[in-house]
Amino acid sequence: MDEKLKSIKEKYLELEKKLSNPEILNDYKKLKTISKQKSDIEDIITKYDLYLKAGKDIEELNHIEDDEMYALAKDEIKNLEDERKKLLEEIKVLLIPKDENDDKNIIMEIRGAAGGDEANIFAGDLYRMYTRYAEKNNWKMELIHSVDGTSGGFSQIEFLIKGENVYSKLKYESGAHRVQRVPETESQGRVHTSTATVLVMPETDDINIDIKESDIKTDVYHSSGAGGQSVNTTNSAVRLTHIPTGIVVTCQNERSQIKNKEQAMKVLKAKIYDEEQRKKEQIEGNERKSKIGTGDRSEKIRTYNYPQNRVTDHRINFSVMNLDKVMDGNLDEIIESLIIEDQRLKLEGSGLNEN
């Protein structure tokens, strides 16, 4: 790993030199690219420099010949050794290859699954949970499409979440979410189990996805609200069908047909990209250690147990006893635990944990 860090340091110094070149300073595109490359490794270099300095200080203290002075220096040597170990672990985490989508916005889709009306109500509860979590992170949400459940909630809802590093935190939410509680319609007081599925996709605005116009079937129709009533008299709702994959997306949230088509295309690109990534992972071998779960909609990832006020994430065998707070958007404890486990698995997969 020492050789790897030396190589990164050389690259950093080279980038610094380039940034002082007048030719590059006058080329905005090159300047932006090189500045980002430098920024991406800056934290590694800062910690690496501190790591090297601590090592140099230890070496100097170990060369103290006076016994009395050396005895006084022992505590400082111990502190410096502890600091080096801590810095090394932090550097290992920074060396983990970054997910290229971590800083992207997301498109999230929630569907009521097994459990009928109760599943749709739970889908609505999950939508509120993510809405509250987005508010706490100062992210913005835009509704793309929704189909109301007959007794509340949603049978399907799609929305965009915009903000800083949204995908890095919510990418772990894809999968089947299970709820255990007594439905309002249950007269015997029995606990029912229902599920809703969540799909998280990175927004693909800056990803080159080639979609031929001839491969898309476009339908327009009147937008409808709850109960099927028309919310306006123009054919503004748009349904796009991607013929090669069979993927269908709908948008009726905007009053303009053009805007609805733009939003629908955004979702279509995200779904095609998501499908391509899944196929790629299957070809490369999706059983690798450095991945939490499959990210598949059908994989059971979490249970929300209302009678016990407990939320359990099955992928990392982690539980919290504050379901009420979680449903109010306090997801940080669960998400941080998932991030830590993800880093641990990636460290194992990259061999950076080896001594």
Side-chain angles (χ1 to χ4, degrees):
M1 192 168 75
D2 194 46
E3 288 302 315
K4 187 172 187 176
L5 289 167
K6 284 179 182 176
S7 175
I8 294 171
K9 181 65 182 277
E10 286 172 7
K11 181 183 177 184
Y12 182 81
L13 294 172
E14 186 184 327
L15 292 169
E16 268 193 336
K17 190 177 179 181
K18 284 182 178 179
L19 287 173
S20 63
N21 185 331
E23 188 180 322
I24 288 171
L25 288 171
N26 292 322
D27 187 328
Y28 176 74
K29 194 172 181 181
K30 281 185 181 178
L31 180 64
K32 186 180 178 183
T33 301
I34 293 169
S35 295
K36 186 178 186 310
Q37 288 174 346
K38 179 175 174 280
S39 175
D40 286 345
I41 58 176
E42 199 142 26
D43 284 349
I44 296 172
I45 298 306
T46 300
K47 292 187 186 297
Y48 182 50
D49 285 343
L50 290 170
Y51 175 80
L52 291 175
K53 185 180 182 303
K56 190 177 179 181
D57 291 345
I58 289 169
E59 190 177 344
E60 288 177 0
L61 290 169
N62 276 325
H63 279 86
I64 294 175
E65 294 180 358
D66 184 279
D67 290 345
E68 191 175 334
M69 291 291 289
Y70 183 72
L72 292 171
K74 276 186 176 179
D75 283 345
E76 190 175 348
I77 290 170
K78 174 69 169 58
N79 289 337
L80 286 167
E81 286 173 345
D82 289 344
E83 184 186 343
R84 267 170 67 87
K85 286 178 184 176
K86 182 172 177 287
L87 285 165
L88 187 60
E89 290 307 310
E90 290 173 353
I91 289 168
K92 284 178 181 178
V93 171
L94 290 171
L95 285 172
I96 296 170
K98 286 185 170 57
D99 187 328
E100 62 183 10
N101 295 316
D102 274 352
D103 60 350
K104 286 184 169 55
N105 301 325
I106 68 158
I107 293 168
M108 182 179 280
E109 177 186 274
I110 305 174
R111 291 175 181 259
D117 287 343
E118 175 64 11
N120 294 339
I121 292 168
F122 180 50
D125 294 338
L126 290 177
Y127 173 65
R128 180 184 179 277
M129 179 183 78
Y130 292 123
T131 300
R132 297 289 293 121
Y133 184 65
E135 289 170 357
K136 292 176 193 296
N137 283 278
N138 296 314
W139 295 337
K140 292 182 179 178
M141 291 181 63
E142 291 180 14
L143 182 64
I144 296 172
H145 174 64
S146 65
V147 180
D148 293 343
T150 54
S151 299
F154 304 96
S155 64
Q156 179 183 348
I157 184 165
E158 292 171 331
F159 49 97
L160 178 69
I161 304 182
K162 295 180 176 181
E164 189 175 347
N165 299 319
V166 179
Y167 186 77
S168 70
K169 292 188 176 181
L170 291 179
K171 62 184 176 183
Y172 307 103
E173 297 304 296
S174 286
H177 296 240
R178 183 175 70 167
V179 63
Q180 294 176 323
R181 63 184 175 190
V182 179
E184 291 181 12
T185 55
E186 171 55 56
S187 58
Q188 303 297 318
R190 292 172 299 186
V191 173
H192 286 225
T193 298
S194 305
T195 58
T197 62
V198 175
L199 180 62
V200 177
M201 301 165 286
E203 191 180 23
T204 58
D205 281 353
D206 58 348
I207 297 173
N208 186 24
I209 297 175
D210 185 29
I211 302 177
K212 296 177 183 176
E213 192 68 34
S214 59
D215 286 341
I216 299 175
K217 179 176 180 287
T218 304
D219 296 302
V220 293
Y221 55 96
H222 284 195
S223 297
S224 298
Q229 73 269 27
S230 177
V231 294
N232 62 57
T233 56
T234 61
N235 289 334
S236 62
V238 175
R239 182 189 300 112
L240 301 180
T241 303
H242 187 241
I243 298 165
T245 60
I247 294 171
V248 180
V249 298
T250 304
C251 184
Q252 62 176 39
N253 192 52
E254 303 286 348
R255 290 192 173 272
S256 159
Q257 184 187 126
I258 293 172
K259 287 184 178 179
N260 277 329
K261 187 171 182 179
E262 285 175 358
Q263 288 281 54
M265 277 298 295
K266 191 175 287 190
V267 178
L268 181 61
K269 284 183 178 180
K271 289 195 173 185
I272 290 172
Y273 175 77
D274 184 66
E275 186 66 25
E276 287 176 353
Q277 290 301 107
R278 290 182 194 282
K279 287 178 181 176
K280 183 181 174 185
E281 287 182 356
Q282 286 172 358
I283 291 167
E284 292 174 351
N286 204 20
E287 297 304 315
R288 63 187 185 278
K289 290 190 293 183
S290 57
K291 188 174 176 71
I292 290 183
T294 64
D296 190 85
R297 189 200 295 274
S298 63
E299 180 192 15
K300 184 182 76 174
I301 64 166
R302 196 175 295 152
T303 294
Y304 303 74
N305 186 303
Y306 275 72
Q308 297 177 19
N309 199 36
R310 185 184 71 232
V311 181
T312 299
D313 196 289
H314 304 290
R315 295 163 295 179
I316 56 174
N317 196 26
F318 177 80
S319 295
V320 291
M321 306 302 292
N322 59 349
L323 179 145
D324 51 336
K325 292 182 179 178
V326 169
M327 298 310 292
D328 196 39
N330 292 289
L331 282 164
D332 285 331
E333 190 176 358
I334 296 171
I335 288 173
E336 285 301 318
S337 297
L338 286 161
I339 289 171
I340 289 167
E341 178 63 7
D342 189 32
Q343 289 174 344
R344 186 189 71 78
L345 290 172
K346 284 177 177 174
L347 280 169
E348 282 186 2
S350 66
L352 290 175
N353 257 343
E354 295 171 9
N355 295 321

